[in-house]
Amino acid sequence: MKSLFRFAVWSNIFYLAPLLAAVSFDLWGIAALLAALVVFSTAFHYSHEVSYVLADKLIAFAVIFADVAMLALGGFSVFYIALVGAFLALSLYVRYVQEKGNRKGFYHGVWHLCAAFVTLLCILSYAT
């Protein structure tokens, strides 16, 4: 039970914001991907990054692909591209500079927050 209290585990809750946005815009495929991401990422981190490795990676790549597709289908709005670019840069800084490969630590939870916001922006770029 102690594992649930690590930020890298419970920070997957941040993906509920884009999941709810996807549901509210009837983007059921995106909602299903995000639900799977929440389940498998939480399971991956709960297992101390031992189990569900492949599922976690595959679903994460699927969400990234869906994000890019939504930006493209949304017409590559300058407003959303600028916001996504800024938060993507912040996400990558957190992931590869601050986190330093420690996928169990605090900064990996911050990565979840940043990545969830990027996905939310991609959903909004498509749906609005």
Side-chain angles (χ1 to χ4, degrees), residues 67-118:
D67 285 350
V68 172
M70 286 186 288
L71 281 176
L73 294 171
F76 288 114
S77 160
V78 172
F79 174 75
Y80 284 111
I81 293 293
L83 282 175
V84 166
F87 281 95
L88 181 59
L90 176 62
S91 298
L92 293 174
Y93 172 76
V94 167
R95 179 83 161 92
Y96 294 106
V97 176
Q98 292 297 318
E99 183 183 302
K100 297 182 176 102
N102 179 9
R103 296 185 70 192
K104 297 178 182 186
F106 172 78
Y107 284 107
H108 194 75
V110 176
W111 156 261
H112 288 161
L113 173 62
C114 293
F117 191 66
V118 166

Side-chain angles (χ1 to χ4, degrees), residues 2 10 27-28 32 37-38 49 55-56 65 74 86 96 99-100 107 110 122 127:
K2 196 176 192 181
W10 69 261
L27 301 173
W28 299 106
L37 180 70
V38 169
E49 297 72 34
D56 182 58
F65 179 79
Y96 294 106
E99 183 183 302
K100 297 182 176 102
Y107 284 107
V110 176
C122 293

Side-chain angles (χ1 to χ4, degrees), residues 2-4 6 8-9 12 39-54 56 103-104:
K2 196 176 192 181
S3 292
L4 285 175
R6 289 188 305 126
V9 176
N12 284 291
V39 168
F40 285 104
S41 182
T42 300
F44 169 70
H45 289 295
Y46 182 76
S47 76
H48 293 278
E49 297 72 34
V50 175
S51 301
Y52 308 101
V53 177
L54 183 59
D56 182 58
R103 296 185 70 192
K104 297 178 182 186

